[in-house]
Amino acid sequence: MLYIKKGKQPDSLIQYRKNKFAYFDGYQGKAEIRQKLLEEQGYLCAYCMRRIDADHMKIEHWYPEDRLSDAERLDYTNMLDACLGHIHGTKGADDTCDTHKQNTVITVNLQEMAALKKIQYRSATGEIYSEDEKIQEDLNRTLNLNSSKHLLMANRKAVLDAAIMELRKMQQKGIWSHKIMESMKAVYEKTDSDGKKKEYAGIVLWYLEKRLK
């Protein structure tokens, strides 16, 4: 998971919210919201960090939509982009992210750095976890982020292994220098020329920050 800094909400949403009977499903500018959210998140699912695009994502309400008033559902700060959460159109127990979360309230907020600092990974397996019981419930059960069917652990491990291999190429002998690790950290924190972050960047950033300490 990565920290998400929210930008300015679309002007069309600001104007629409001024309508007396404004409601989320009546707003016609969702394509604009999707694009702004994609840019904020580097084209990654807010939860699992898989690559998403405008045709393979949905607008997620961090605080569940079913628990909000019509006005509250139009609060841009509560909106995220999430993957579809299922494979080949099938839905069920193996779903992930927002699709699995449904209307459950979660503790971990991607706009709060303090909560994100409680999230860790196991480099040997790619598992995401937390010593905080509530956040662990969010990660493992509510969002199902260690789903074997979706290969999330395997994909995270593969990305981390590739990053470690790259570090070894950059400095073949001795301990990796802070300069080398900081340079790689910058690559995984930033977006490329297309505005995209690297898939599953969270596990690499966690690993580098741990080594830098």
Side-chain angles (χ1 to χ4, degrees), residues 52-177:
I52 54 176
D53 57 45
D55 296 322
H56 301 89
M57 51 75 59
K58 58 180 177 177
I59 298 172
E60 140 79 336
H61 287 76
W62 175 79
Y63 192 84
E65 191 176 358
D66 290 351
R67 298 169 181 257
L68 301 173
S69 67
D70 284 341
E72 290 171 333
R73 291 174 186 176
L74 291 165
D75 180 4
Y76 182 71
T77 63
N78 190 47
M79 298 180 196
L80 301 168
D81 268 352
C83 67
L84 298 178
H86 51 263
I87 301 174
H88 304 308
T90 61
K91 296 183 179 182
D94 290 313
D95 292 341
T96 67
C97 306
D98 170 57
T99 303
H100 197 266
K101 169 177 162 284
Q102 297 184 348
N103 66 345
T104 302
V105 177
I106 60 175
T107 299
V108 62
N109 187 337
L110 302 180
Q111 297 178 59
E112 295 180 358
M113 191 63 75
L116 287 172
K117 288 184 179 297
K118 295 180 180 180
I119 294 175
Q120 302 182 67
Y121 300 85
R122 302 192 194 280
S123 55
T125 63
E127 177 187 359
I128 186 172
Y129 75 100
S130 176
E131 299 293 346
D132 182 297
E133 290 184 5
K134 290 183 178 179
I135 294 178
Q136 175 64 7
E137 179 76 10
D138 293 341
L139 302 176
N140 202 42
R141 293 186 179 274
T142 306
L143 297 169
N144 197 23
L145 295 183
N146 289 313
S147 168
S148 58
K149 186 170 183 178
H150 289 251
L151 302 177
L152 294 180
M153 290 173 58
N155 290 342
R156 286 192 292 261
K157 184 179 185 303
V159 167
L160 178 59
D161 288 347
I164 292 172
M165 184 65 68
E166 184 63 25
L167 285 168
R168 289 172 177 164
K169 290 180 181 177
M170 293 167 70
Q171 187 168 328
Q172 296 180 6
K173 296 181 180 180
I175 300 173
W176 301 322
S177 69

Side-chain angles (χ1 to χ4, degrees), residues 14-65:
I14 295 173
Q15 293 302 315
Y16 179 73
R17 290 180 63 176
K18 295 178 180 178
N19 294 330
K20 185 176 181 180
F21 299 107
Y23 65 107
F24 185 71
D25 287 339
Y27 174 56
Q28 300 301 308
K30 292 190 182 69
E32 185 178 2
I33 286 184
R34 290 188 185 95
Q35 186 58 37
K36 285 187 70 69
L37 294 174
L38 284 169
E39 292 169 1
E40 287 177 357
Q41 296 172 203
Y43 292 79
L44 299 180
C45 171
Y47 298 124
C48 70
M49 297 181 293
R50 281 181 282 201
R51 175 73 63 222
I52 54 176
D53 57 45
D55 296 322
H56 301 89
M57 51 75 59
K58 58 180 177 177
I59 298 172
E60 140 79 336
H61 287 76
W62 175 79
Y63 192 84
E65 191 176 358

